[in-house]
Amino acid sequence: MKIKFFIFPCVLASEKHDQTYVKTRAGIDGIRLKAEVFMVYAAVLAGGSGLRMGGNIPKQFMSVSGKPIIIMSIEAFIKSGSVDKVCVCVSHDYLNYTHSLVKKFLGGNEVQILEGGKNRNETLFNVLKKIKGEGISDGDIILTHDAVRPFIDKRIIDENIAAAKKYGACNTVCPAVDTVIYSADGRFIDAVPVRSSVYHAQTPQSFNAAKLYNYYSLMTAEEFEKYTDACTVFTENGERVFLVRGSRDNIKITYPEDMEKAESIVGKLGK
């Protein structure tokens, strides 16, 4: 734990997309600094089977430009300098393998590797219980991130921390480019949402850690299965979740063709 000079974000509107998001760059009107002690955790969720990718191992363990995707995601949080502790959740079968990768690429000293649960919510609750056991304060922040989004950057991380600190919860998003169609039966159009009000969700999703722990503690087994992610947990409890501007590069590697996109992004970013 260390003293952070916390940047309170001002709210801006995107001229192109009428999107509200957080800006934390110095020099913007409305920003003020406050010294505060709190912990920032990153939970990298890597328990998926990756069946849509094919191959012999889950997609998070595949490599892009010679480096495992999961390592790229972990490394982004470490290099940001904004996160105090990184926790990685993987399935039981890949615990030892993950330890070996972290030791090989990162030295193994800054990462805590935990076993995931049956679903995303159970996995995240495992992380929160570990944090709770070590002592959780009212001001602590947790960023939750898909292991298969290796191109998360410092700007997104810092804006998530600022938004979670101010609002209690936030979700990284990008404005929808294509028109989105809603169909209840998968055969006929039921609605066409206004595109300027539709966003594609990314990660991180970030929260006040103590509040998220309390919500999870009160959930039923049915709710753990029903709620798609932690933002749903907040909205179902009447909380508002703030939107943080994401990045087109912050892709989720899901299908084989995404590997080619990832290699291209590595080349563009010079990673």
Side-chain angles (χ1 to χ4, degrees):
M1 183 180 294
K2 54 182 177 287
I3 296 177
K4 302 176 179 66
F5 285 93
F6 181 70
I7 302 176
F8 282 93
C10 59
V11 179
L12 302 178
S14 166
E15 293 178 358
K16 292 184 178 179
H17 303 291
D18 193 27
Q19 178 196 11
T20 302
Y21 61 91
V22 179
K23 272 291 192 187
T24 57
R25 287 203 302 267
I28 297 176
D29 292 341
I31 287 180
R32 56 195 176 88
L33 297 177
K34 178 182 178 182
E36 185 175 358
V37 179
F38 60 98
M39 289 287 289
V40 177
Y41 300 89
V44 178
L45 308 180
S49 61
L51 295 177
R52 287 172 288 185
M53 178 66 76
N56 298 321
I57 59 173
K59 57 198 174 187
Q60 56 267 33
F61 297 106
M62 294 181 178
S63 292
V64 174
S65 294
K67 185 178 289 187
I69 293 167
I70 187 173
I71 294 298
M72 295 171 69
S73 296
I74 297 168
E75 195 173 45
F77 287 101
I78 294 173
K79 286 186 173 181
S80 75
S82 302
V83 173
D84 296 300
K85 182 175 288 187
V86 179
C87 302
V88 183
C89 283
V90 298
S91 66
H92 176 79
D93 293 342
Y94 283 90
L95 282 170
N96 290 336
Y97 185 55
T98 304
H99 275 286
S100 67
L101 288 179
V102 168
K103 183 177 181 180
K104 177 181 177 179
F105 288 93
L106 303 172
N109 296 321
E110 300 179 81
V111 180
Q112 194 162 38
I113 300 168
L114 306 173
E115 185 172 348
K118 293 184 296 184
N119 53 50
R120 187 182 186 91
N121 286 318
E122 282 194 9
T123 296
L124 183 49
F125 194 29
N126 285 351
V127 178
L128 290 163
K129 285 186 285 189
K130 180 68 175 177
I131 294 171
K132 178 71 171 178
E134 296 174 352
I136 190 171
S137 74
D138 290 341
D140 291 349
I141 299 298
I142 184 166
L143 290 78
T144 70
H145 188 63
D146 299 327
V148 289
R149 291 188 188 271
F151 301 112
I152 177 69
D153 60 38
K154 179 174 172 57
R155 190 270 304 167
I156 294 175
I157 291 169
D158 287 347
E159 291 185 8
N160 265 260
I161 294 169
K165 193 65 182 173
K166 183 170 185 179
Y167 300 102
C170 65
N171 196 163
T172 307
V173 300
C174 274
V177 175
D178 299 321
T179 297
V180 177
I181 301 297
Y182 172 74
S183 172
D185 62 8
R187 299 179 64 223
F188 298 98
I189 293 175
D190 291 304
V192 182
V194 177
R195 190 171 61 190
S196 62
S197 300
V198 178
Y199 299 86
H200 295 295
Q202 299 182 339
T203 62
Q205 296 178 333
S206 304
F207 309 93
N208 176 287
K211 185 175 285 190
L212 184 58
Y213 175 86
N214 290 336
Y215 283 145
Y216 272 134
S217 298
L218 298 173
M219 280 170 52
T220 65
E222 180 183 359
E223 288 170 333
F224 268 93
E225 291 287 346
K226 181 176 71 171
Y227 297 160
T228 55
D229 59 22
C231 282
T232 309
V233 174
F234 264 66
T235 58
E236 288 292 324
N237 281 280
E239 300 271 5
R240 302 193 74 189
V241 177
F242 193 73
L243 303 183
V244 170
R245 176 171 56 92
S247 166
R248 301 294 176 197
D249 288 336
N250 188 24
I251 65 170
K252 184 178 183 181
I253 299 176
T254 305
Y255 298 103
E257 57 266 31
D258 295 330
M259 295 294 284
E260 185 175 340
K261 294 178 188 175
E263 293 285 357
S264 176
I265 294 171
V266 168
K268 181 179 76 171
L269 299 178
K271 292 196 174 186

